[in-house]
Amino acid sequence: MIERLSPRQVGTNLVAALRLTLTAAPGATIAYALNSAVSGLMPVAAAWLTKLLLDRLGAPGAWPALLGPVSGLVVLGVLMGVSPAVGQYLHGRLNRAVAILSMDRLYHSVGQLNGMGHIEDPQFRDQLVVAQQAGRGGPGRLVEHAFGIARGMLTLSGFVVALFLLDPWLALVVLLAGAPALAAQLRLSRERATLLGRLAPLERRELHYADLLVSLPAAKELRLLGLGPLFRERMVREMRAAGGEQEQQDRREAGAETALAVLASVVTGASLLWAVWLAANGHLTVGDVAMLIAAVAGVQASVQAIVALVAGAHEALLLFHQFRAVTDIGPDLSVPEIPAPTPVLAEGITFTDVWFRYGPDQPWVLRGLHLTIRQGEATALVGLNGAGKSTLIKLLCRFYDPTRGAIRWDGTDLREMDPVAFRSRIGALFQDFMEYDLAVAENIGVGDVEALADRARITAAAERADAHDLVGRLPSGYDTLLSRIFMDDAGPDGGRTGTLLSGGQWQRIALARAFMRDRRDLMILDEPTSGLDPEAEYEIHRRLRQHRSGTTSVLVSHRLSAVRDADTIVVLCDGRVSERGTHNQLMDNRGPYARLYRLQADGYADGQTTLAAQAS
Ligand SMILES: Nc1ncnc2c1ncn2[C@@H]1O[C@H](COP(=O)(O)OP(=O)(O)OP(=O)(O)O)[C@@H](O)[C@H]1O
């Protein structure tokens, strides 16, 4: 998953990271660069001043001449003490600003995914995990490493020049001794980055099990079925697998670093011997020896620091590349440069020979479906489990494009429209609606974000969904926090726990959310009353009938009594329309609809007979 980068990719990623930091924190970036440059030159300056001091110490009456190097060393000492603290502060500031900007960009790009294809793709989700990790500290780390390398290069060049002046051969040997370290660290950093990619699926599964163990929706089944130990054991298994991979990597790193440390010590020892031998034979002064020792140690320290920084930068670069792969991914549904307008629906929506499957390796769900949803009519979709009703709804919202065939809005193919503009024409209640950990008013208001603060519209939507009375009974009415995982600390008395609703009560809130968009062209209701008690269900359907005149609606329901007065009932079977018509027409047809309807009606009749028998 994490591949080798070409020099061009290295360059573009570095430029992109620098641009990101300059946008996020221009002042801190420039100050950090200057601080790095100053701190890079300080060790060399200190070594030269020490050499000067030592050489002048031997000369008679040298006191005035000593003042220069001494005061230089004092100033350097102060700078050396201050520079790391300043660097750390600037780095923290830079990192925080970059993390905010990169996470904002990452989630902006994820928000640009206009379909469901990528978000349901496990490979993309793994890539997303790496990008999330890289986005938080990655770009900042990359720039920090890049400046660190520049700082190290400055120190290194200073010491190399000094060493060359004293002994060119020694300079060459010390420099060459850094080459194996560079090669080894580059290899290790690539391995570390690849490891992150391999760990992503393990970590996602581990988090999934950990989440299940404390999740509120799973809590009941977990306790009743005793699933805790099973999921805990699976979580630990994923952690062990990830830990095993990390352990192997750590072992390789420890081995390589030990070998490199031994090599460095051998080079230092040999250079020291060489310097002492030269001094003993009168080729070097005491100051030269001090400079040579400082230069050998300085070159080695800066080569080591550069090698470690290059390796770190390499790893950060590979991760940043993944981050950019996600931020540059672009929309997963094609949108023409100049999209067709999305006019008010005048005639209807047509499905022409629509074939659809969720992926090339998945079975066909819709198989040559022809359907017309006429403007102003109520169309009901019925069919057995897995017949493709929810899939049809998802295509109707353009969460996916048909694999073959076309869906047209008043004759315009949905693919020619901008999905965002198109979806703003639709109101929907999905079978798997969301229960947001927000206040009631917000839970309803998000149905039309522009009206989030419009209490009158929120109340009207709640009244239509038969939810107003229920909200009135909650501790803070529309301001009640619907959550058991957050405290409601925004209220006047603060620190109150939130409230949890029943399934049917939640469904009414979700229905009210859908009604926030009731002036749109198309209202989609996928099993809107499945969790409601019979009285509430009757009431909601009565209101739906009352309000739907003139609006176009698509209703999916297994409760056939709820769909019997739709203008058209469409029966889906095996991804095709098997019959369509009004309730009476379909009953006369004696086809699948009539059979299902009788089955349900008989169930109720049997129940009534039994109840009557029990009563008598
Ligand atoms: N995201 C998905 N990825 C892969 N396959 C899917 C996905 N969603 C649904 N399917 C498959 O598509 C088929 C049709 O599912 P769909 O949810 O459309 O049926 P349905 O008629 O709404 O069923 P139900 O009455 O149970 O809600 C099923 O076989 C299901 O496994």
Side-chain angles (χ1 to χ4, degrees):
M1 188 175 130
I2 292 178
E3 75 276 21
R4 196 184 276 261
L5 298 184
S6 68
R8 196 161 166 266
Q9 284 173 317
V10 170
T12 48
N13 279 305
L14 271 176
V15 171
L18 194 61
R19 253 201 217 142
L20 194 79
T21 39
L22 274 170
T23 314
T29 309
I30 293 167
Y32 189 62
L34 287 176
N35 186 63
S36 299
V38 170
S39 62
L41 288 172
M42 279 188 306
V44 188
W48 271 112
L49 288 171
T50 312
K51 172 192 148 49
L52 281 181
L53 187 67
L54 289 177
D55 285 346
R56 288 177 192 179
L57 263 180
W63 174 237
L66 293 180
L67 271 181
V70 168
S71 41
L73 280 170
V74 171
V75 172
L76 269 182
V78 174
L79 280 179
M80 275 176 164
V82 170
S83 170
V86 171
Q88 200 174 357
Y89 164 73
L90 289 171
H91 177 241
R93 194 177 152 150
L94 192 146
N95 237 3
R96 282 188 296 276
V98 171
I100 293 173
L101 183 64
S102 27
M103 290 315 260
D104 185 37
R105 287 200 179 162
L106 180 70
Y107 286 101
H108 174 76
S109 305
V110 173
Q112 295 288 97
L113 298 176
N114 46 18
M116 300 279 287
H118 283 315
I119 215 82
E120 284 185 345
D121 174 8
Q123 254 179 351
F124 175 74
R125 298 202 73 92
D126 288 344
Q127 203 176 18
L128 198 57
V129 170
V130 176
Q132 280 166 329
Q133 288 179 7
R136 217 162 256 286
R141 235 177 77 210
L142 188 53
V143 169
E144 178 201 352
H145 283 60
F147 286 164
I149 292 169
R151 185 178 54 225
M153 291 301 251
L154 272 178
T155 314
L156 181 69
S157 333
F159 279 130
V160 167
V161 169
L163 259 185
F164 259 100
L165 293 178
L166 295 170
D167 191 330
W169 286 111
L170 195 60
L172 202 66
V173 171
V174 173
L175 261 186
L176 284 181
L182 185 64
Q185 289 288 4
L186 280 181
R187 191 192 159 86
L188 287 174
S189 67
R190 196 166 42 245
E191 283 177 9
R192 269 196 297 271
T194 317
L195 179 68
L196 263 186
R198 277 206 312 278
L199 292 184
L202 303 180
E203 277 172 3
R204 275 208 305 122
R205 277 198 294 270
E206 174 206 319
L207 283 179
H208 173 64
Y209 290 125
D211 211 31
L212 275 180
L213 286 168
V214 293
S215 118
L216 220 49
K220 291 192 293 294
E221 283 205 17
L222 221 76
R223 278 154 185 73
L224 187 83
L225 304 176
L227 297 177
L230 176 76
F231 292 153
R232 199 182 61 242
E233 194 243 309
R234 290 192 179 180
M235 178 194 74
V236 171
R237 196 175 62 199
E238 299 296 341
M239 285 180 83
R240 284 214 179 97
E245 295 245 17
Q246 267 163 339
E247 167 76 24
Q248 280 183 10
Q249 178 67 21
D250 287 353
R251 233 181 271 162
R252 274 196 297 272
E253 290 192 17
E257 268 157 22
T258 311
L260 293 175
V262 170
L263 179 70
S265 312
V266 169
V267 173
T268 314
S271 323
L272 189 62
L273 260 179
W274 179 241
V276 172
W277 186 82
L278 284 175
N281 288 293
H283 297 296
L284 292 179
T285 65
V286 179
D288 287 344
V289 174
M291 179 68 209
L292 201 131
I293 291 172
V296 170
V299 167
Q300 277 206 335
S302 22
V303 166
Q304 264 174 18
I306 291 171
V307 162
L309 284 165
V310 166
H314 184 224
E315 187 183 335
L317 203 66
L318 289 170
L319 295 179
F320 186 60
H321 185 62
Q322 292 293 311
F323 169 83
R324 288 188 65 221
V326 174
T327 51
D328 293 350
I329 198 161
D332 46 356
L333 296 175
S334 64
V335 184
E337 221 156 276
I338 304 169
T342 320
V344 173
L345 188 67
E347 288 168 21
I349 305 155
T350 50
F351 285 63
T352 313
D353 193 24
V354 170
W355 289 74
F356 179 75
R357 57 183 171 188
Y358 282 94
D361 55 346
Q362 301 279 319
W364 289 104
V365 179
L366 300 183
R367 305 154 175 269
L369 181 122
H370 291 270
L371 174 67
T372 301
I373 297 163
R374 274 190 278 272
Q375 193 279 332
E377 283 194 358
T379 303
L381 283 181
V382 299
L384 299 181
N385 291 134
K389 305 179 292 294
S390 298
T391 303
L392 190 152
I393 297 293
K394 287 190 254 181
L395 289 176
L396 191 52
C397 298
R398 208 188 163 203
F399 294 144
Y400 307 89
D401 281 330
T403 317
R404 285 188 229 151
I407 306 171
R408 294 190 178 87
W409 176 278
D410 279 349
T412 306
D413 195 316
L414 297 193
R415 283 172 286 216
E416 289 168 25
M417 297 175 172
D418 172 13
V420 177
F422 163 70
R423 284 181 201 137
S424 69
R425 298 236 165 251
I426 303 175
L429 169 65
F430 297 111
Q431 205 175 1
D432 49 355
F433 59 82
M434 273 304 293
E435 297 171 3
Y436 297 104
D437 286 277
L438 297 173
V440 178
E442 286 187 311
N443 253 294
I444 299 174
V446 290
D448 184 356
V449 180
E450 281 167 22
L452 196 57
D454 188 340
R455 271 300 158 91
R457 272 189 63 197
I458 290 173
T459 313
E463 275 168 357
R464 274 194 60 195
D466 204 15
H468 182 64
D469 293 345
L470 128 80
V471 176
R473 289 193 295 274
L474 296 174
S476 308
Y478 282 89
D479 294 315
T480 309
L481 177 70
L482 298 182
S483 174
R484 272 292 184 191
I485 55 171
F486 295 117
M487 292 282 278
D488 183 4
D489 49 12
D493 36 357
R496 201 166 35 203
T497 54
T499 304
L500 217 58
L501 298 181
S502 76
Q505 289 169 331
W506 261 120
Q507 197 160 26
R508 289 186 218 192
I509 299 291
L511 192 58
R513 186 186 305 150
F515 286 154
M516 287 296 288
R517 289 185 165 214
D518 63 347
R519 274 167 248 152
R520 309 297 164 105
D521 298 357
L522 175 67
M523 177 60 80
I524 297 169
L525 299 166
D526 193 351
E527 293 288 2
T529 55
S530 58
L532 299 190
D533 59 60
E535 212 173 307
E537 184 176 18
Y538 171 81
E539 186 54 28
I540 290 287
H541 281 294
R542 191 185 67 76
R543 289 171 192 220
L544 282 175
R545 274 194 294 277
Q546 206 177 36
H547 283 272
R548 81 176 169 222
S549 56
T551 60
T552 315
S553 62
V554 176
L555 171 67
V556 179
S557 183
H558 288 294
R559 208 80 55 98
L560 299 187
S561 59
V563 304
R564 61 174 290 168
D565 62 341
D567 298 304
T568 310
I569 299 169
V570 176
V571 183
L572 279 194
C573 186
D574 268 344
R576 289 193 192 93
V577 174
S578 68
E579 49 176 0
R580 55 173 299 155
T582 61
H583 170 76
N584 290 337
Q585 286 166 343
L586 294 179
M587 289 307 281
D588 290 344
N589 271 3
R590 294 172 183 277
Y593 176 83
R595 190 175 60 79
L596 288 175
Y597 191 86
R598 284 210 187 86
L599 260 175
Q600 277 192 356
D602 285 353
Y604 282 121
D606 279 356
Q608 276 169 1
T609 319
T610 322
L611 282 176
Q614 277 172 357
S616 62

